[in-house]
Amino acid sequence: MYDHIGVRVKDLARAARFYEALLAPLGHVAGSKGEGYAGFGPQGKPAFWIHLDKRPAGCHIAFHAKDRAAVDAFHAAGVKAGGRDNGAPGLRLDYGPTYYAAFILDADGNNLEAVCMK
């Protein structure tokens, strides 16, 4: 769980399209938008922000998924939206006996994870 997260992106329009597609399977939508930024999250409560910035990007963010099917859909949506596979959906037994996750790299090199502990 987190309050909010902000990441730097080099192309705001491209990143906004990518995150809108990637986060839809987890029930998140595009929210606030403005000159140089966009926010995503539950309807009316954006908590994940992207900001136009030419400096190098690089972070890891784990999004909660309600079930394993949502993790699978997150991964498929991320690849379809132009992300690179960084770990197919599956159990990560070295993290825990029920740690089911998938990883996607966005166009700016941010490592994005969806995880379900069921």
Side-chain angles (χ1 to χ4, degrees):
M1 176 183 275
Y2 62 87
D3 179 68
H4 69 278
I5 295 175
V7 298
R8 298 183 301 260
V9 299
K10 297 174 188 166
D11 182 328
L12 186 65
R14 178 189 69 202
R17 286 190 306 272
F18 173 79
Y19 282 109
E20 189 166 3
L22 179 75
L23 297 174
L26 302 180
H28 300 298
V29 296
S32 299
K33 291 182 183 178
E35 179 94 19
Y37 70 90
F40 304 84
Q43 186 70 41
K45 297 180 183 180
F48 176 73
W49 299 89
I50 57 175
H51 304 271
L52 184 60
D53 193 322
K54 299 299 180 184
R55 293 178 293 171
C59 71
H60 170 80
I61 302 167
F63 296 99
H64 171 75
K66 66 180 178 178
D67 55 31
R68 292 179 181 193
V71 172
D72 296 347
F74 167 91
H75 187 266
V79 170
K80 185 176 180 182
R84 287 185 306 147
D85 171 45
N86 197 33
L91 283 170
R92 302 301 194 273
L93 297 176
D94 50 331
Y95 297 163
T98 61
Y99 197 105
Y100 188 87
F103 301 85
I104 292 287
L105 293 175
D106 73 7
D108 293 298
N110 296 301
N111 184 34
L112 311 166
E113 173 185 4
V115 58
C116 173
M117 302 290 194
K118 301 181 207 177

Short mmCIF file of all heavy atoms in Angstrom, two decimals, residues 2 6 13 15-16 29 40-41 46 51-53 55-56 58-59 65 73 76 85 88 103 107 110-111:
data_model
loop_
_atom_site.label_atom_id
_atom_site.label_comp_id
_atom_site.label_asym_id
_atom_site.label_seq_id
_atom_site.Cartn_x
_atom_site.Cartn_y
_atom_site.Cartn_z
N TYR A 2 0.40 2.29 -0.63
CA TYR A 2 1.16 3.53 -0.63
C TYR A 2 0.20 4.71 -0.70
O TYR A 2 -0.96 4.56 -1.08
CB TYR A 2 2.16 3.56 -1.80
CG TYR A 2 1.50 3.50 -3.16
CD1 TYR A 2 1.07 4.65 -3.80
CD2 TYR A 2 1.29 2.28 -3.79
CE1 TYR A 2 0.45 4.59 -5.03
CE2 TYR A 2 0.67 2.21 -5.02
CZ TYR A 2 0.26 3.37 -5.65
OH TYR A 2 -0.36 3.32 -6.87
N GLY A 6 5.30 8.98 -7.60
CA GLY A 6 5.53 9.76 -8.81
C GLY A 6 6.75 9.23 -9.54
O GLY A 6 7.76 8.92 -8.91
N ALA A 13 2.52 11.81 -23.26
CA ALA A 13 1.38 11.23 -23.98
C ALA A 13 1.54 9.72 -24.11
O ALA A 13 0.61 8.95 -23.85
CB ALA A 13 1.21 11.88 -25.35
N ALA A 15 3.43 7.71 -22.27
CA ALA A 15 3.36 7.10 -20.94
C ALA A 15 1.93 7.06 -20.42
O ALA A 15 1.51 6.07 -19.83
CB ALA A 15 4.26 7.87 -19.97
N ALA A 16 1.15 8.11 -20.65
CA ALA A 16 -0.25 8.13 -20.19
C ALA A 16 -1.06 7.02 -20.86
O ALA A 16 -1.84 6.33 -20.20
CB ALA A 16 -0.88 9.50 -20.45
N VAL A 29 -8.02 3.98 -13.04
CA VAL A 29 -8.37 4.80 -14.21
C VAL A 29 -7.52 6.06 -14.24
O VAL A 29 -6.94 6.47 -13.23
CB VAL A 29 -9.87 5.18 -14.19
CG1 VAL A 29 -10.75 3.93 -14.30
CG2 VAL A 29 -10.22 5.99 -12.95
N PHE A 40 -3.23 8.62 -11.90
CA PHE A 40 -4.02 7.39 -12.07
C PHE A 40 -4.33 6.80 -10.71
O PHE A 40 -3.58 6.98 -9.76
CB PHE A 40 -3.24 6.36 -12.90
CG PHE A 40 -2.81 6.88 -14.23
CD1 PHE A 40 -1.65 7.61 -14.37
CD2 PHE A 40 -3.59 6.66 -15.34
CE1 PHE A 40 -1.26 8.11 -15.60
CE2 PHE A 40 -3.22 7.15 -16.58
CZ PHE A 40 -2.04 7.88 -16.71
N GLY A 41 -5.42 6.06 -10.63
CA GLY A 41 -5.77 5.37 -9.39
C GLY A 41 -7.24 5.04 -9.38
O GLY A 41 -7.90 5.04 -10.42
N PRO A 46 -6.61 9.72 -7.57
CA PRO A 46 -5.32 9.36 -8.16
C PRO A 46 -4.22 9.32 -7.11
O PRO A 46 -4.15 10.18 -6.24
CB PRO A 46 -5.08 10.44 -9.20
CG PRO A 46 -5.95 11.58 -8.81
CD PRO A 46 -7.11 10.99 -8.06
N HIS A 51 5.25 12.40 -14.37
CA HIS A 51 5.67 13.78 -14.58
C HIS A 51 6.66 13.83 -15.74
O HIS A 51 7.61 13.04 -15.77
CB HIS A 51 6.37 14.33 -13.33
CG HIS A 51 5.54 14.23 -12.10
ND1 HIS A 51 4.68 15.22 -11.72
CD2 HIS A 51 5.44 13.26 -11.17
CE1 HIS A 51 4.08 14.86 -10.60
NE2 HIS A 51 4.52 13.67 -10.24
N LEU A 52 6.45 14.76 -16.66
CA LEU A 52 7.37 14.96 -17.76
C LEU A 52 8.70 15.47 -17.22
O LEU A 52 8.74 16.47 -16.50
CB LEU A 52 6.79 15.95 -18.76
CG LEU A 52 7.58 16.21 -20.03
CD1 LEU A 52 7.75 14.91 -20.82
CD2 LEU A 52 6.89 17.26 -20.88
N ASP A 53 9.78 14.74 -17.52
CA ASP A 53 11.10 15.10 -17.01
C ASP A 53 12.12 14.38 -17.87
O ASP A 53 12.03 13.17 -18.06
CB ASP A 53 11.22 14.67 -15.55
CG ASP A 53 12.42 15.28 -14.85
OD1 ASP A 53 13.49 15.41 -15.48
OD2 ASP A 53 12.28 15.62 -13.67
N ARG A 55 15.25 13.89 -17.21
CA ARG A 55 16.29 13.18 -16.45
C ARG A 55 16.03 11.67 -16.53
O ARG A 55 14.90 11.24 -16.74
CB ARG A 55 16.29 13.62 -15.00
CG ARG A 55 16.73 15.06 -14.82
CD ARG A 55 16.68 15.45 -13.38
NE ARG A 55 15.27 15.48 -12.94
CZ ARG A 55 14.90 15.63 -11.67
NH1 ARG A 55 15.80 15.74 -10.73
NH2 ARG A 55 13.63 15.67 -11.36
N PRO A 56 17.06 10.85 -16.31
CA PRO A 56 16.86 9.40 -16.36
C PRO A 56 15.82 8.93 -15.34
O PRO A 56 15.75 9.44 -14.23
CB PRO A 56 18.23 8.83 -16.00
CG PRO A 56 19.19 9.93 -16.31
CD PRO A 56 18.45 11.22 -16.06
N GLY A 58 13.85 5.57 -13.33
CA GLY A 58 14.23 4.29 -12.78
C GLY A 58 13.65 4.09 -11.39
O GLY A 58 14.08 4.72 -10.44
N CYS A 59 12.64 3.25 -11.31
CA CYS A 59 12.06 2.93 -10.01
C CYS A 59 11.37 1.58 -10.11
O CYS A 59 11.19 1.05 -11.19
CB CYS A 59 11.09 4.01 -9.54
SG CYS A 59 9.56 4.06 -10.47
N ALA A 65 -2.85 -6.57 -6.54
CA ALA A 65 -3.84 -7.18 -7.42
C ALA A 65 -4.79 -8.01 -6.57
O ALA A 65 -4.36 -8.69 -5.63
CB ALA A 65 -3.16 -8.07 -8.46
N ALA A 73 -3.70 -10.48 -16.26
CA ALA A 73 -4.23 -9.44 -17.15
C ALA A 73 -3.32 -8.22 -17.16
O ALA A 73 -3.13 -7.60 -18.21
CB ALA A 73 -5.64 -9.06 -16.71
N ALA A 76 -0.38 -9.10 -19.47
CA ALA A 76 -0.80 -9.11 -20.87
C ALA A 76 -1.06 -7.70 -21.37
O ALA A 76 -0.65 -7.33 -22.48
CB ALA A 76 -2.05 -9.98 -21.04
N ASP A 85 8.41 -7.47 -21.17
CA ASP A 85 8.32 -8.49 -20.13
C ASP A 85 9.58 -8.45 -19.27
O ASP A 85 10.69 -8.46 -19.79
CB ASP A 85 8.16 -9.86 -20.79
CG ASP A 85 8.28 -11.00 -19.80
OD1 ASP A 85 7.68 -10.90 -18.71
OD2 ASP A 85 8.99 -11.97 -20.10
N ALA A 88 7.38 -13.09 -16.27
CA ALA A 88 6.03 -13.55 -16.58
C ALA A 88 5.26 -13.87 -15.29
O ALA A 88 5.86 -14.12 -14.24
CB ALA A 88 6.09 -14.80 -17.46
N PHE A 103 6.06 -8.89 -13.85
CA PHE A 103 6.85 -7.68 -13.95
C PHE A 103 6.89 -7.17 -15.39
O PHE A 103 7.03 -7.96 -16.33
CB PHE A 103 8.29 -7.93 -13.48
CG PHE A 103 8.37 -8.40 -12.06
CD1 PHE A 103 8.22 -9.75 -11.75
CD2 PHE A 103 8.58 -7.50 -11.04
CE1 PHE A 103 8.30 -10.19 -10.44
CE2 PHE A 103 8.65 -7.94 -9.72
CZ PHE A 103 8.51 -9.28 -9.42
N ALA A 107 8.51 2.07 -21.07
CA ALA A 107 9.43 2.62 -22.08
C ALA A 107 10.56 3.43 -21.46
O ALA A 107 11.58 3.66 -22.10
CB ALA A 107 8.64 3.48 -23.07
N ASN A 110 11.23 1.90 -16.00
CA ASN A 110 10.68 1.65 -14.67
C ASN A 110 10.20 0.21 -14.58
O ASN A 110 9.56 -0.29 -15.51
CB ASN A 110 9.54 2.62 -14.39
CG ASN A 110 10.00 4.05 -14.35
OD1 ASN A 110 10.86 4.41 -13.56
ND2 ASN A 110 9.46 4.87 -15.24
N ASN A 111 10.51 -0.47 -13.47
CA ASN A 111 10.11 -1.85 -13.26
C ASN A 111 8.79 -1.88 -12.49
O ASN A 111 8.71 -1.44 -11.35
CB ASN A 111 11.20 -2.59 -12.46
CG ASN A 111 10.88 -4.05 -12.29
OD1 ASN A 111 10.29 -4.68 -13.15
ND2 ASN A 111 11.27 -4.60 -11.16
#
